[in-house]
Amino acid sequence: MFLNCHSYHSLRYGTISIEELVQQGVESGNRVVALTDINTITGIYDFYKLCKENEVKPVVGVEVRVENELFYICLAKNRNSIGEVNKILTAYNCDGIEIPKTNPKLIDTYIIYPLSNLPEELFENEYIGVRPEELNLLIKPELNKLIDKMVVLQPVTFQTKREYNLHKILRAIDNNTLLTKLSVNDYCGENEKFINVSDLITKYSHYPRIVENTKRILNDCEIEFDFSTPKNKKYYTDSKENDFKLLKQLTYKGLKQRYPNDKGIALARAEKELEVIDQLNFCGYFLITWDIIQYSNEMGFMHVGRGSGANSIVSFCLGITDICPLELDLYFERFLNLNRKTPPDFDIDWGWENRDTILEYIFNKYGKDHVAFCGTNVEFKYKSIFREVGKVFGLPKEELDVLANKSINEHDDNSVFRSVYKYGKLLEKFPNQRSMHACGVLISEEPITNFTALEMPPKGFPIVQFDMHVAEDIGFEKFDILSQRGLGTINDTVNLIEEKRGIKVDIRNTAISKDEVRANEFLSKGKTIGCFYIESPAMRGLLRRLKCDNYKVLVAASSIIRPGVAQSGMMKEYIFRHNNPDKFEYFHDVFEKELGETYGIMVYQEDVIKIALHFGGLSAPDGDILRRAMSGKGRSLSALQKVKDHFFESCKEIGHPEQLSREVYRQIESFAGYSFCKAHSASYAVESYQSLYLKVYYPLEFMVSVINNQGGFYRTEVYIHEARMSGAKIMNPCVNKSGYRTTLYDDEVYLGLMHLEKVEIRLGQFIPEERKNHGDFKSLEDFIKRVPVGIETIQILIFIGAFRFTGKQKHELLIEARFLLSESRFNCRYLTLLEASPKNYKLPKVDRHKFEDAFDEIEILGFPISYSPFDILQTKYRGSVMAKDLTSYHKKEVKMLAYLISRKHVPTKRGTMFFGTWIDTEGEYFDTAHFADCLEKYPFQGGGCYLLLGIVEVDFHFPTVTIKKMAKMPFIPDPRYSLDKDMAQRVQTNIKEDISMTFRKPYPQEQEIGLPRHKMI
């Protein structure tokens, strides 16, 4: 009898989860429940499955509203009806086509109108919903004659009084108003909840026809969802046979290019894979991915195919990936096998500036009716919950800050705060809004509106109304179209090398960008700042500890840095065994046979599966559960728990000692959700090597590209420092030399106008465009004539030295700018046919302090360019030890002067500690450790230079200074404010630092790991 139920997917309206809705329907004695969320089908697939599990008949539909006005309720008679409703919602959401207020042309759908929206004519499939409280209105003749077309309308939105209050709070949040300012039309009636079915029927006892109509409609709605059949576009060509024929042809062509000297090994592997791909009907999926890559190559874009797709030699031959699975012994079954119950997907990265072009190609090629992004439900988050709820209760900003940033124990004990907290807690895990999945694209065989309505978020690509998990349940395998700045850096570097040197670098040629001698040398020394994935302090430290000097070790390093491996202690153990291969034994023969390449240590997801199968005796389906847990797709630890008991039972049957089995399972469990598959690590390693090769041989072009792609782990200043260390002369922005992005002229690097934060983006782009079209700026006056600019922007450009080509001092330029901008004739700027010579103004020369420019730069950029930070210190002391010599000072005390680059917060049992990264006065990097007791006495005081005293600890070739004392060193007083002592010190606060936070437990110490180094019997 309940044909109008809302779940919390009726965003900022409903208060009931799908699970609760089904359960409450059952408890109310109802064996038929209809889910009709407002303008969305988000919950219908989960609802359908839960109803079937609870032996409840599911009826699905949509409540159609426009600007909170209820038009009608749509109930699906059959599967076609879902598509009908989705089409009108999609047209409204994406194209702005108005939804008809009455008589929508929906053939397979029942339409239920509220009494507030009666059409002039009712079609056969259209009815009027009458609420219990509206029954007294039926005495009106105009309504009484329509009783035969009426049904019971008992909406469900909440279940308890508390939930009703929560509903009102949600409505206030949605309307961005105070709870007390809501009107009656903004929220639902206080009786919109499940009641006992017999009680509901009793209310309509005088109108049995209405009850009969309701039952008949609900009985007539029969919908079946097929969750087993793949829903993606079936064929790339016109048939399964032709798809396989084309895929085979392309694979053989690629085999000749990738393996010109193959003796049948690669061919046999390819044929085996092709057979499985064909059997599982994935030829079309491979070919569509290949098609996208072909377009990318035609456009000259860099891409990286990563993830488990790189296990496939077919994807290698098609050019989807650049990882040879034979070289790294990658097995195809990790990507696709006959035991898999879920489809695989390719993860493909493009440069961040190219991704939208790729997406436009996909949408245009396969049709907007068949392509959409996955959606995702953005939930109410802790801080935002209390801000949102507090706001509707009328709390001021100061109190909202207290709510958001302090625990409940620190709040004032008053009724408003208690109410905010009570209802805020109820909102946890509630969906707040729908958004676009970061990368998942669906390409469907049928029109995608057969499954979902589409919405148009600000990004400009339509999204479906469900998330990736529902998409997978329905039968969609997504195409992951990702972007990253690392590829943008590689692409820009290659283009810049060709532009500046006339050299074409084929960076995808692994002969030059993998296991190259000089690149290996840089790798082993951790000289990798700017390189994708291997530039962080932790990664550079790992590379040095491993003396990583080849591609295969880099592949392993890319995975052991991951939290699962590191947290279990296996990263430390790997480092030990790599450096001491003769000081351990494999604690079981299976580990030596299966994991010999990684010293018997589980490093990759495949390793975990190998041990589970070959040591634990698990079945292939259980191995697949483990695979999904390892990749974070199977809800990690909970998925592992399902096979835990079976693992121990099997180990006991095989005869493994219990202690050994528990140790092995401890290692397996630690990986849940936090390890890479080997192919993924290999893909990362290839891109890291490509970056490194360019850094080694074309350092200036590379660092300029890093800067233009807005860096990676560090702030821009660090990459500018790297460019300088590579031989570049760093030049401040100049209106006649700089572009919007940073530019390179021989060895001179001109910083781009994009680095001037207070200069509008539009203006920063206009200046070089104007110069390109009409020539260099001849003077400040010429610039002001041609560029629409105000005095604030002009001052920034003058202080940063952007008009130094004029030869005039900054104070002269400032006076001239104010004079020129005050003249009204320059309000309209234009080029004239005859330009008068610029006027020359003679002003007295002012003696400027040599460091004034450095302080201008700190104020505008956040760091100095003309001088180093060390040059403007009050002290002349430069430290007793340099970074390059630290390995010679193991266990010795050192005093160093250093500039802070970054610090990372790590919680420990004894309190917060930090790891710091610094440069010394020679520009070399080193690392420090700061424990909680030291930080209490000697805390960090922001960016700048510090005097450090500490003990050097050399851990496998990598030195760290454990700090005992430190003090921030003051700069000289700012010479620009010689008469104002406070201002003379203030600019120092502009110096920046990078702070990263982690809330993981600290990595275990060697004595805590307990990984056996001897055979266990």
Side-chain angles (χ1 to χ4, degrees), residues 165-183:
N165 293 337
L166 182 64
H167 163 74
K168 288 183 177 179
I169 290 169
L170 285 168
R171 299 307 301 133
I173 291 172
D174 191 48
N175 285 287
N176 193 26
T177 189
L178 294 174
L179 199 54
T180 54
K181 294 287 184 71
L182 286 175
S183 70

Side-chain angles (χ1 to χ4, degrees), residues 36 47 94 161 164 317 323 503 517 714 820-821 890 986:
T36 54
F47 172 76
C94 299
K161 176 65 176 175
Y164 184 50
C317 292
I323 305 300
I503 298 172
V517 177
Y714 305 96
L820 291 168
L821 286 170
H890 182 51
R986 187 173 299 176

Side-chain angles (χ1 to χ4, degrees), residues 80 97 138 159 202 232-233 405 446 543 566 611 686 711 751 963 1010:
N80 293 336
I97 297 172
L138 299 190
Q159 185 60 19
T202 299
N232 272 46
K233 181 173 172 58
N405 298 314
E446 301 176 37
L543 295 173
I611 295 304
V686 166
L751 296 183
I963 297 301

Side-chain angles (χ1 to χ4, degrees), residues 523-542:
L523 194 62
S524 66
K525 294 178 180 178
K527 297 174 70 173
T528 54
I529 299 285
C531 298
F532 172 77
Y533 196 68
I534 55 173
E535 65 164 340
S536 71
M539 193 66 184
R540 289 187 297 107
L542 176 60

Side-chain angles (χ1 to χ4, degrees), residues 370-512:
H370 296 266
V371 185
F373 261 91
C374 263
T376 182
N377 286 318
V378 181
E379 296 175 345
F380 281 100
K381 299 294 191 298
Y382 179 86
K383 287 187 176 183
S384 67
I385 287 175
F386 294 116
R387 285 192 185 279
E388 294 276 17
V389 177
K391 197 190 304 180
V392 304
F393 275 94
L395 295 179
K397 182 182 182 302
E398 297 75 25
E399 294 185 30
L400 293 177
D401 291 339
V402 172
L403 277 168
N405 298 314
K406 293 186 178 180
S407 69
I408 184 63
N409 299 326
E410 298 175 87
H411 296 170
D412 292 339
D413 187 20
N414 61 54
S415 59
V416 175
F417 270 46
R418 285 196 300 272
S419 293
V420 170
Y421 187 76
K422 177 174 71 174
Y423 290 108
K425 290 295 289 181
L426 290 175
L427 279 181
E428 284 186 349
K429 303 298 181 183
F430 264 49
N432 181 24
Q433 58 189 8
R434 269 180 297 279
S435 184
M436 178 186 288
H437 185 276
C439 57
V441 175
L442 307 178
I443 305 177
S444 66
E445 175 69 19
E446 301 176 37
I448 207 158
T449 48
N450 286 359
F451 305 96
T452 174
L454 303 180
E455 296 179 5
M456 187 67 75
K459 181 69 179 172
F461 293 105
I463 63 170
V464 300
Q465 291 183 324
F466 44 70
D467 63 20
M468 59 178 283
H469 300 294
V470 174
E472 189 176 284
D473 284 344
I474 295 171
F476 282 106
E477 62 260 21
K478 59 185 171 57
F479 295 79
D480 283 338
I481 310 298
L482 303 107
S483 67
Q484 44 146 296
R485 296 187 183 276
L487 278 174
T489 295
I490 293 170
N491 209 42
D492 286 357
T493 304
V494 170
N495 292 337
L496 194 57
I497 293 166
E498 185 172 1
E499 177 191 335
K500 299 296 181 181
R501 302 200 193 190
I503 298 172
K504 289 188 176 182
V505 179
D506 181 8
I507 197 61
R508 294 181 67 178
N509 177 4
T510 54
I512 65 168

